Amino acid sequence: MGHKEINSGDNESWLQPYIDSPEKQKQLYKKTLIIVIMSQIFGGAGLAAGITVGALLAQEMLGTDSVTGVPTALFTLGSAGAALLVGRLSQRYGRRFGLSAGFLTGGIGAIGVIISALMSSIVLLFISLFIYGAGSATNLQARYAGTDLAKSNQRAKAVSMAMVSTTFGAVAGPNLVEVMGDFSKFLGIPALAGPFILAAAAYILAGLVLLFYLRPDPLLVTKAISNLKNKAGNRQSEQSIELLPKNKRGIFAGASVMILTQFVMTAIMTMTPIHMGHHGHDLQAVGLVIGFHVGAMYFPSLITGSLVDRVGRAFMAVTSAITLLASGALAAFGPADSMTVLIGALVLLGLGWNFGLISGTAILVDSTSFDNRAKTQGTVDVWIALSGALGGGISGLIVANSSYAILSIAGALLSLLLIPIIIWADINKQQKLEEAS
């Protein structure tokens, strides 16, 4: 499928079967989910394997702790920039082109990290880590591809399936760090560059899976079908298409849910290991708490998706705020030497983030039309990435000048802002309009 075909919403020869047959649309929706899941498994491995040792590699190459925060900062900035570009490429050329380009770019960045380790070039390392961030942005944006052909009552479940599949790769990646380190030493490459070999292979495989198999492109098919129905005089379709771009409140609300939950989650999560260290917990205890937290971020996704579709986006967004409130209160007022309390607080933190990301994504998709959807999604994901970076950065300043309890309380109270935003945007009305169309 060349660019001429991609850019043409009028090429009815390849679209006609999808216009005429709801069954073929359903088949393409299922196929798209399978392809997205495959790419997310690889993408998760690429994300986790590399970022686990990025700071350690910089420390080893420079022999100082002063730059250990730079890799994460570069990675986050690269992710934010790539989110914008992937969104714009997807809007113009389709998901297949935008997502595959993002993953392949991330793979090139990982290869650059390996070369920088061989050359002992810290400048090349930092440039490569910035490029490598494209994989993270693409991994997050791939969740949208499954929603393009989904009906209104399937969208959250489609997002959740992508998130669950990311978990498999994200769990496998860190566990292969030692194995990849031994493999890289066998090849004559510094051990800490080993995980980036896995990251490069995983991102490139994810990109190739999308490039070769995500066709017909779900976003372009859905957009072209709607355009053709509109031209044919389908007034109901025309009205629904015209309604969606005007729902700026819904776009703001969906973005706010994801940005605020990302900020609160990252801020509290970042300082929890420091807080535990101050109260005598060892690294094994820290790993256990963070492990439960990451599990709560992703594993409940299938259930969350079904809940968002069944009980409503607004209800689950408010539930996200309340869950984050409970997490912050437990972290602030619970005994710091209790592993049970810490695990409970971080599980609630991960769960609140999960509720927020899936409900916020569904709200955003509901509130956009095919003409602005991918571009808007990319822009919102930029702010999600930046909010995470800001949350992680500002959390240290808050704790240094006050305490972990103050940070947790602040995060809890900030999450409550979601409730008036959801009420103001009247999300339930937007969901009913979507279901009616």
Side-chain angles (χ1 to χ4, degrees), residues 360-432:
T361 299
I363 292 168
L364 185 65
V365 174
D366 289 347
S367 304
T368 52
S369 74
F370 309 114
D371 294 324
N372 68 353
R373 182 163 293 164
K375 182 179 177 181
T376 304
Q377 289 163 346
T379 302
V380 170
D381 277 4
V382 170
W383 289 105
I384 293 173
L386 292 176
S387 73
L390 179 62
I394 204 171
S395 63
L397 295 174
I398 294 174
V399 171
N401 290 283
S402 55
S403 67
Y404 179 77
I406 295 296
L407 172 69
S408 300
I409 293 168
L413 294 176
L414 185 62
S415 65
L416 291 180
L417 284 175
L418 294 178
I419 297 175
I421 290 173
I422 292 297
I423 294 171
W424 167 76
D426 200 0
I427 298 303
N428 286 330
K429 180 181 178 181
Q430 174 64 20
Q431 189 174 354
K432 288 176 183 176

Side-chain angles (χ1 to χ4, degrees), residues 60 112 200 222 227 248 285 297 332 354 360 383:
E60 181 180 80
T222 311
N227 287 342
K248 294 181 180 179
M297 287 174 65
N354 179 276
W383 289 105

